[in-house]
Coordinates of all heavy atoms in Angstrom, one line a residue:
G44 N -122.2 89.1 -56.5 CA -120.9 88.6 -56.2 C -119.8 89.7 -56.1 O -118.7 89.4 -56.0
H45 N -120.3 91.0 -56.3 CA -119.3 92.1 -56.2 C -119.1 92.5 -54.8 O -119.9 92.2 -53.9 CB -119.8 93.3 -57.1 CG -119.9 93.0 -58.5 ND1 -118.8 92.7 -59.3 CD2 -121.0 92.9 -59.4 CE1 -119.2 92.5 -60.5 NE2 -120.5 92.5 -60.6
G46 N -118.0 93.3 -54.6 CA -117.8 93.8 -53.2 C -118.6 95.1 -53.0 O -119.4 95.5 -53.9
L47 N -118.5 95.7 -51.8 CA -119.3 96.9 -51.6 C -118.6 98.1 -52.2 O -117.3 98.2 -52.1 CB -119.4 97.1 -50.0 CG -120.3 96.2 -49.2 CD1 -120.2 96.5 -47.8 CD2 -121.7 96.3 -49.7
P48 N -119.3 99.0 -52.7 CA -118.7 100.3 -53.2 C -118.1 101.0 -52.0 O -118.7 100.9 -50.9 CB -119.9 101.1 -53.7 CG -120.9 100.1 -54.1 CD -120.8 99.0 -53.1
G49 N -117.0 101.6 -52.1 CA -116.3 102.3 -51.0 C -116.0 103.8 -51.4 O -115.5 104.1 -52.5
L50 N -116.3 104.7 -50.4 CA -116.0 106.1 -50.6 C -115.0 106.6 -49.6 O -115.2 106.4 -48.3 CB -117.3 106.9 -50.4 CG -117.2 108.4 -50.4 CD1 -116.7 109.0 -51.7 CD2 -118.5 109.1 -50.0
A51 N -113.9 107.2 -50.0 CA -112.9 107.7 -49.1 C -113.1 109.2 -49.0 O -113.1 109.9 -50.1 CB -111.5 107.4 -49.6
V52 N -113.2 109.8 -47.8 CA -113.3 111.2 -47.6 C -112.1 111.7 -46.9 O -111.8 111.1 -45.8 CB -114.6 111.6 -46.9 CG1 -114.7 113.1 -46.6 CG2 -115.8 111.1 -47.7
V53 N -111.4 112.7 -47.4 CA -110.2 113.2 -46.8 C -110.5 114.6 -46.3 O -111.0 115.5 -47.0 CB -109.1 113.3 -47.8 CG1 -107.8 113.8 -47.2 CG2 -108.8 111.9 -48.5
L54 N -110.2 114.8 -45.0 CA -110.3 116.1 -44.4 C -109.0 116.6 -43.9 O -108.4 115.9 -43.1 CB -111.4 116.1 -43.2 CG -111.5 117.3 -42.4 CD1 -112.1 118.5 -43.3 CD2 -112.4 117.1 -41.2
V55 N -108.5 117.7 -44.3 CA -107.3 118.3 -43.8 C -107.6 119.5 -43.0 O -108.3 120.4 -43.4 CB -106.4 118.7 -45.0 CG1 -105.0 119.1 -44.5 CG2 -106.2 117.6 -46.1
G56 N -107.1 119.4 -41.7 CA -107.3 120.5 -40.8 C -108.6 120.3 -39.9 O -109.2 119.2 -40.0
N57 N -108.9 121.3 -39.1 CA -110.1 121.1 -38.2 C -111.1 122.2 -38.3 O -111.6 122.7 -37.3 CB -109.6 121.1 -36.7 CG -108.1 121.0 -36.5 OD1 -107.6 120.0 -37.0 ND2 -107.5 122.0 -35.9
D58 N -111.5 122.5 -39.6 CA -112.6 123.4 -39.8 C -113.9 122.8 -39.2 O -114.3 121.7 -39.7 CB -112.7 123.8 -41.3 CG -113.9 124.7 -41.6 OD1 -114.0 125.7 -40.9 OD2 -114.7 124.3 -42.4
P59 N -114.6 123.4 -38.2 CA -115.7 122.7 -37.6 C -116.8 122.4 -38.6 O -117.4 121.4 -38.6 CB -116.2 123.7 -36.6 CG -115.2 124.8 -36.4 CD -114.3 124.7 -37.6
A60 N -117.1 123.4 -39.6 CA -118.2 123.1 -40.5 C -117.8 121.9 -41.4 O -118.7 121.1 -41.7 CB -118.4 124.4 -41.4
S61 N -116.5 121.9 -41.8 CA -116.1 120.7 -42.7 C -116.2 119.4 -41.9 O -116.6 118.4 -42.5 CB -114.7 120.9 -43.2 OG -114.6 122.0 -44.0
E62 N -115.9 119.5 -40.6 CA -116.0 118.2 -39.8 C -117.4 117.7 -39.8 O -117.7 116.5 -39.9 CB -115.5 118.5 -38.4 CG -114.0 118.4 -38.3 CD -113.5 118.7 -36.9 OE1 -114.2 118.7 -35.9 OE2 -112.2 118.9 -36.8
V63 N -118.4 118.6 -39.7 CA -119.8 118.2 -39.7 C -120.2 117.6 -41.0 O -120.8 116.6 -41.1 CB -120.7 119.5 -39.4 CG1 -122.2 119.1 -39.5 CG2 -120.5 120.0 -38.0
Y64 N -119.7 118.3 -42.1 CA -120.0 117.8 -43.5 C -119.5 116.4 -43.7 O -120.2 115.5 -44.2 CB -119.4 118.7 -44.6 CG -120.0 120.1 -44.7 CD1 -119.3 121.2 -45.0 CD2 -121.4 120.3 -44.4 CE1 -119.8 122.5 -45.1 CE2 -121.9 121.6 -44.5 CZ -121.2 122.6 -44.9 OH -121.7 123.9 -45.0
V65 N -118.2 116.2 -43.3 CA -117.6 114.8 -43.6 C -118.3 113.7 -42.7 O -118.5 112.6 -43.2 CB -116.1 114.8 -43.5 CG1 -115.4 115.7 -44.5 CG2 -115.6 115.0 -42.2
K66 N -118.6 114.1 -41.5 CA -119.3 113.1 -40.6 C -120.6 112.7 -41.3 O -121.0 111.5 -41.3 CB -119.4 113.6 -39.2 CG -118.2 113.5 -38.4 CD -118.3 113.8 -37.0 CE -117.0 113.9 -36.3 NZ -116.8 114.9 -35.3
N67 N -121.3 113.7 -41.7 CA -122.6 113.5 -42.4 C -122.5 112.6 -43.6 O -123.3 111.7 -43.9 CB -123.3 114.8 -42.7 CG -124.8 114.7 -42.8 OD1 -125.4 113.6 -42.5 ND2 -125.4 115.7 -43.3
K68 N -121.4 112.9 -44.4 CA -121.2 112.1 -45.6 C -120.9 110.6 -45.3 O -121.5 109.7 -45.9 CB -120.0 112.7 -46.4 CG -120.4 113.9 -47.2 CD -119.2 114.7 -47.7 CE -119.7 116.0 -48.4 NZ -118.6 116.9 -48.7
A69 N -120.1 110.4 -44.2 CA -119.9 109.0 -43.8 C -121.2 108.3 -43.3 O -121.4 107.2 -43.7 CB -118.8 109.0 -42.6
L70 N -122.0 109.0 -42.6 CA -123.2 108.5 -42.1 C -124.1 108.1 -43.2 O -124.7 107.0 -43.3 CB -123.9 109.5 -41.2 CG -125.2 109.1 -40.5 CD1 -124.9 108.2 -39.3 CD2 -126.0 110.3 -40.0
Q71 N -124.3 109.0 -44.2 CA -125.1 108.7 -45.4 C -124.6 107.6 -46.2 O -125.3 106.8 -46.8 CB -125.3 110.0 -46.2 CG -126.0 111.1 -45.5 CD -127.4 110.8 -45.1 OE1 -128.1 110.1 -45.8 NE2 -127.8 111.5 -44.1
T72 N -123.2 107.5 -46.3 CA -122.6 106.4 -47.1 C -123.0 105.1 -46.5 O -123.4 104.1 -47.2 CB -121.1 106.6 -47.1 OG1 -120.8 107.9 -47.5 CG2 -120.4 105.6 -48.0
H73 N -122.9 105.0 -45.2 CA -123.4 103.7 -44.5 C -124.8 103.5 -44.7 O -125.2 102.3 -45.0 CB -123.1 103.8 -43.0 CG -121.6 103.7 -42.6 ND1 -120.9 102.7 -42.9 CD2 -120.8 104.6 -42.0 CE1 -119.6 102.9 -42.5 NE2 -119.6 104.0 -41.9
R74 N -125.6 104.5 -44.7 CA -127.1 104.4 -44.9 C -127.4 103.8 -46.3 O -128.4 103.1 -46.4 CB -127.7 105.8 -44.8 CG -128.9 105.7 -43.9 CD -129.4 107.1 -43.5 NE -129.3 107.3 -42.1 CZ -129.5 108.4 -41.4 NH1 -129.7 109.5 -42.1 NH2 -129.4 108.5 -40.1
A75 N -126.5 104.1 -47.2 CA -126.7 103.6 -48.6 C -126.1 102.2 -48.8 O -126.1 101.7 -49.9 CB -126.2 104.6 -49.6
G76 N -125.6 101.7 -47.7 CA -125.1 100.3 -47.7 C -123.6 100.2 -48.2 O -123.2 99.1 -48.6
M77 N -123.0 101.4 -48.3 CA -121.6 101.4 -48.9 C -120.6 101.5 -47.8 O -120.9 101.9 -46.6 CB -121.5 102.5 -49.9 CG -122.5 102.4 -51.0 SD -122.2 103.4 -52.4 CE -122.8 105.0 -52.0
R78 N -119.3 101.3 -48.1 CA -118.2 101.4 -47.1 C -117.7 102.9 -47.1 O -117.5 103.4 -48.2 CB -117.1 100.5 -47.4 CG -117.5 99.0 -47.3 CD -116.4 98.1 -47.6 NE -115.4 98.1 -46.5 CZ -114.2 97.4 -46.5 NH1 -113.9 96.8 -47.6 NH2 -113.5 97.4 -45.5
S79 N -117.4 103.4 -45.9 CA -116.9 104.7 -45.8 C -115.5 104.7 -45.2 O -115.3 104.0 -44.2 CB -117.8 105.5 -44.9 OG -117.2 106.7 -44.4
F80 N -114.5 105.4 -45.8 CA -113.2 105.4 -45.2 C -112.9 106.9 -45.0 O -112.9 107.7 -45.9 CB -112.2 104.9 -46.3 CG -112.4 103.5 -46.7 CD1 -113.4 103.2 -47.7 CD2 -111.7 102.4 -46.1 CE1 -113.6 101.9 -48.1 CE2 -112.0 101.1 -46.5 CZ -112.9 100.8 -47.5
M81 N -112.6 107.2 -43.7 CA -112.3 108.6 -43.4 C -110.8 108.8 -43.1 O -110.2 108.0 -42.5 CB -113.0 109.0 -42.0 CG -114.5 108.9 -42.1 SD -115.1 110.5 -42.7 CE -115.0 111.5 -41.3
H82 N -110.3 109.8 -43.7 CA -108.9 110.2 -43.5 C -108.8 111.6 -43.0 O -109.0 112.5 -43.7 CB -108.1 110.0 -44.8 CG -108.0 108.6 -45.3 ND1 -107.1 107.7 -44.9 CD2 -108.9 107.9 -46.0 CE1 -107.3 106.5 -45.5 NE2 -108.4 106.6 -46.2
M83 N -108.4 111.7 -41.7 CA -108.3 113.1 -41.1 C -106.8 113.4 -41.1 O -106.0 112.6 -40.5 CB -108.8 113.1 -39.6 CG -110.2 112.4 -39.5 SD -111.4 113.4 -40.3 CE -112.6 113.7 -39.0
M84 N -106.4 114.5 -41.6 CA -105.0 114.9 -41.7 C -104.8 116.2 -41.0 O -105.8 117.1 -41.0 CB -104.5 115.0 -43.1 CG -104.7 113.7 -43.9 SD -103.9 113.8 -45.5 CE -102.2 113.3 -45.2
P85 N -103.7 116.5 -40.3 CA -103.5 117.7 -39.6 C -103.4 119.0 -40.5 O -103.1 118.8 -41.7 CB -102.2 117.5 -38.9 CG -101.5 116.4 -39.6 CD -102.5 115.6 -40.2
E86 N -103.7 120.1 -40.0 CA -103.7 121.4 -40.7 C -102.4 121.6 -41.4 O -102.3 122.3 -42.4 CB -104.0 122.5 -39.6 CG -104.1 123.9 -40.1 CD -105.5 124.3 -40.6 OE1 -106.4 123.6 -40.2 OE2 -105.5 125.2 -41.4
S87 N -101.3 121.1 -40.8 CA -99.9 121.4 -41.3 C -99.5 120.4 -42.4 O -98.4 120.5 -42.9 CB -98.9 121.2 -40.2 OG -99.0 119.9 -39.7
T88 N -100.5 119.6 -42.9 CA -100.1 118.6 -43.9 C -99.5 119.3 -45.2 O -100.0 120.3 -45.7 CB -101.4 117.9 -44.4 OG1 -102.0 117.2 -43.2 CG2 -101.2 116.8 -45.5
S89 N -98.4 118.6 -45.7 CA -97.8 119.2 -46.9 C -98.4 118.7 -48.1 O -99.1 117.6 -48.1 CB -96.3 118.9 -46.9 OG -96.2 117.5 -47.1
E90 N -98.2 119.3 -49.3 CA -98.7 118.9 -50.5 C -98.3 117.4 -50.8 O -99.1 116.6 -51.3 CB -98.3 119.8 -51.7 CG -99.0 119.5 -53.0 CD -98.7 120.5 -54.0 OE1 -99.3 121.6 -53.9 OE2 -97.9 120.2 -54.9
A91 N -97.0 117.2 -50.6 CA -96.4 115.8 -50.9 C -97.1 114.8 -50.0 O -97.5 113.7 -50.5 CB -94.9 115.8 -50.5
E92 N -97.4 115.1 -48.8 CA -98.1 114.1 -47.9 C -99.5 113.8 -48.4 O -100.0 112.7 -48.5 CB -98.2 114.6 -46.4 CG -96.9 114.5 -45.7 CD -96.8 115.4 -44.4 OE1 -97.5 116.4 -44.3 OE2 -96.1 115.0 -43.5
L93 N -100.2 114.9 -48.8 CA -101.6 114.7 -49.3 C -101.6 113.9 -50.6 O -102.4 113.0 -50.8 CB -102.3 116.1 -49.4 CG -103.8 116.0 -49.8 CD1 -104.6 115.1 -48.9 CD2 -104.4 117.4 -49.8
L94 N -100.7 114.3 -51.5 CA -100.6 113.6 -52.8 C -100.3 112.1 -52.7 O -100.7 111.3 -53.4 CB -99.6 114.3 -53.7 CG -100.0 115.7 -54.2 CD1 -99.0 116.3 -55.2 CD2 -101.4 115.8 -54.8
K95 N -99.4 111.8 -51.6 CA -99.1 110.4 -51.3 C -100.3 109.6 -50.9 O -100.6 108.5 -51.4 CB -98.0 110.4 -50.2 CG -97.8 109.0 -49.6 CD -96.9 108.1 -50.5 CE -96.5 106.8 -49.8 NZ -97.6 105.8 -49.7
L96 N -101.1 110.3 -50.0 CA -102.4 109.6 -49.6 C -103.3 109.4 -50.8 O -103.9 108.3 -51.0 CB -103.1 110.4 -48.5 CG -104.5 109.9 -48.2 CD1 -104.4 108.5 -47.5 CD2 -105.2 110.9 -47.2
I97 N -103.4 110.4 -51.7 CA -104.3 110.3 -52.8 C -103.8 109.2 -53.8 O -104.6 108.4 -54.3 CB -104.5 111.6 -53.6 CG1 -105.2 112.6 -52.7 CG2 -105.2 111.5 -54.9 CD1 -105.3 114.0 -53.2
A98 N -102.5 109.1 -53.9 CA -102.0 108.0 -54.8 C -102.3 106.6 -54.2 O -102.7 105.7 -55.0 CB -100.4 108.2 -54.9
D99 N -102.2 106.5 -52.9 CA -102.6 105.2 -52.2 C -104.0 104.9 -52.4 O -104.4 103.8 -52.7 CB -102.3 105.3 -50.7 CG -100.8 105.3 -50.4 OD1 -100.0 105.0 -51.4 OD2 -100.4 105.7 -49.3
L100 N -104.9 105.9 -52.3 CA -106.3 105.7 -52.5 C -106.7 105.4 -53.9 O -107.5 104.5 -54.2 CB -107.1 106.9 -52.0 CG -107.0 107.3 -50.5 CD1 -107.7 108.7 -50.2 CD2 -107.6 106.2 -49.6
N101 N -106.0 106.0 -54.9 CA -106.2 105.7 -56.3 C -105.9 104.3 -56.6 O -106.5 103.6 -57.4 CB -105.2 106.6 -57.2 CG -105.7 108.0 -57.3 OD1 -106.9 108.3 -57.1 ND2 -104.8 108.9 -57.7
A102 N -104.8 103.7 -55.9 CA -104.4 102.4 -56.1 C -105.2 101.3 -55.4 O -105.1 100.1 -55.6 CB -102.9 102.2 -55.8
N103 N -106.0 101.7 -54.4 CA -106.7 100.8 -53.5 C -108.0 100.3 -54.2 O -108.9 101.1 -54.4 CB -107.0 101.5 -52.2 CG -107.7 100.6 -51.2 OD1 -108.2 99.6 -51.5 ND2 -107.6 101.0 -49.9
P104 N -108.1 99.0 -54.5 CA -109.3 98.5 -55.2 C -110.6 98.5 -54.4 O -111.7 98.4 -55.0 CB -108.9 97.1 -55.6 CG -107.8 96.7 -54.7 CD -107.1 98.0 -54.3
Q105 N -110.5 98.7 -53.1 CA -111.7 98.8 -52.2 C -112.3 100.1 -52.3 O -113.4 100.3 -51.8 CB -111.3 98.5 -50.8 CG -110.9 97.0 -50.6 CD -110.8 96.7 -49.1 OE1 -110.4 97.6 -48.3 NE2 -111.2 95.5 -48.7
I106 N -111.6 101.1 -52.8 CA -112.1 102.5 -52.9 C -112.5 102.9 -54.3 O -111.6 102.8 -55.2 CB -111.0 103.4 -52.3 CG1 -111.0 103.2 -50.7 CG2 -111.3 104.9 -52.6 CD1 -110.0 103.8 -50.0
H107 N -113.7 103.3 -54.4 CA -114.2 103.6 -55.8 C -114.4 105.1 -56.0 O -114.5 105.6 -57.1 CB -115.5 102.8 -56.1 CG -115.4 101.4 -55.9 ND1 -115.7 100.7 -54.7 CD2 -114.9 100.4 -56.7 CE1 -115.4 99.4 -54.8 NE2 -114.9 99.2 -56.0
G108 N -114.5 105.8 -54.8 CA -114.7 107.2 -54.9 C -113.8 107.9 -53.9 O -113.6 107.4 -52.8
I109 N -113.2 109.1 -54.3 CA -112.4 109.8 -53.4 C -112.9 111.3 -53.4 O -113.1 111.9 -54.5 CB -110.9 109.8 -53.9 CG1 -110.4 108.4 -54.0 CG2 -110.0 110.7 -52.9 CD1 -109.0 108.3 -54.7
L110 N -113.1 111.8 -52.2 CA -113.5 113.2 -52.1 C -112.5 113.9 -51.1 O -112.4 113.4 -50.0 CB -114.9 113.3 -51.6 CG -115.5 114.6 -51.4 CD1 -117.0 114.6 -51.7 CD2 -115.3 115.2 -50.0
V111 N -111.9 115.0 -51.5 CA -111.1 115.8 -50.6 C -111.9 117.0 -50.3 O -112.3 117.8 -51.1 CB -109.8 116.2 -51.3 CG1 -109.0 117.1 -50.3 CG2 -108.9 115.0 -51.7
Q112 N -112.3 117.1 -49.0 CA -113.2 118.2 -48.5 C -112.5 119.6 -48.7 O -111.3 119.8 -48.3 CB -113.5 118.0 -47.0 CG -114.5 119.0 -46.5 CD -115.9 118.8 -47.1 OE1 -116.4 117.7 -47.3 NE2 -116.6 119.9 -47.4
L113 N -113.2 120.5 -49.4 CA -112.7 121.8 -49.6 C -113.4 122.7 -48.6 O -114.5 122.4 -48.2 CB -113.0 122.3 -51.0 CG -112.3 121.5 -52.1 CD1 -112.8 122.0 -53.5 CD2 -110.8 121.4 -52.0
P114 N -112.9 123.9 -48.1 CA -111.6 124.4 -48.5 C -110.4 123.7 -47.9 O -110.6 123.1 -46.8 CB -111.7 125.9 -48.1 CG -112.7 125.8 -46.9 CD -113.6 124.7 -47.2
L115 N -109.3 123.9 -48.5 CA -108.0 123.3 -47.9 C -107.2 124.4 -47.3 O -107.3 125.5 -47.6 CB -107.2 122.7 -49.1 CG -107.8 121.4 -49.7 CD1 -107.0 121.1 -51.0 CD2 -107.6 120.2 -48.8
P116 N -106.3 124.0 -46.3 CA -105.4 125.0 -45.7 C -104.6 125.7 -46.8 O -104.4 125.1 -47.9 CB -104.5 124.1 -44.8 CG -105.3 122.9 -44.5 CD -106.1 122.6 -45.7
K117 N -104.1 126.9 -46.5 CA -103.5 127.8 -47.5 C -102.3 127.1 -48.3 O -102.1 127.5 -49.5 CB -102.9 129.0 -46.8 CG -104.0 130.1 -46.5 CD -103.5 131.4 -46.1 CE -103.1 131.6 -44.7 NZ -103.8 131.3 -43.5
Q118 N -101.5 126.3 -47.6 CA -100.3 125.7 -48.3 C -100.7 124.7 -49.4 O -99.8 124.3 -50.2 CB -99.4 125.1 -47.3 CG -99.8 123.8 -46.7 CD -100.7 123.9 -45.5 OE1 -101.3 124.9 -45.3 NE2 -100.9 122.8 -44.8
L119 N -102.0 124.3 -49.5 CA -102.4 123.3 -50.5 C -103.2 123.9 -51.6 O -104.2 124.6 -51.4 CB -103.2 122.2 -49.8 CG -102.5 121.5 -48.6 CD1 -103.4 120.7 -47.8 CD2 -101.3 120.7 -49.1

Side-chain angles (χ1 to χ4, degrees):
H45 295 294
L47 288 176
L50 172 66
V52 177
V53 181
L54 175 63
V55 187
N57 349 298
D58 176 54
S61 294
E62 278 178 15
V63 172
Y64 292 145
V65 298
K66 279 186 189 147
N67 201 10
K68 281 169 186 167
L70 185 77
Q71 298 296 332
T72 306
H73 287 301
R74 230 169 240 169
M77 304 197 277
R78 296 181 75 187
S79 161
F80 301 83
M81 294 275 281
H82 294 269
M83 312 294 235
M84 302 186 87
E86 183 83 24
S87 59
T88 300
S89 68
E90 188 173 284
E92 286 166 330
L93 183 53
L94 293 184
K95 165 79 176 72
L96 173 65
I97 293 174
D99 290 345
L100 297 173
N101 281 341
N103 185 339
Q105 290 190 325
I106 287 170
H107 304 94
I109 304 169
L110 180 146
V111 178
Q112 184 69 40
L113 302 177
L115 288 168
K117 280 193 272 317
Q118 73 277 14
L119 301 169

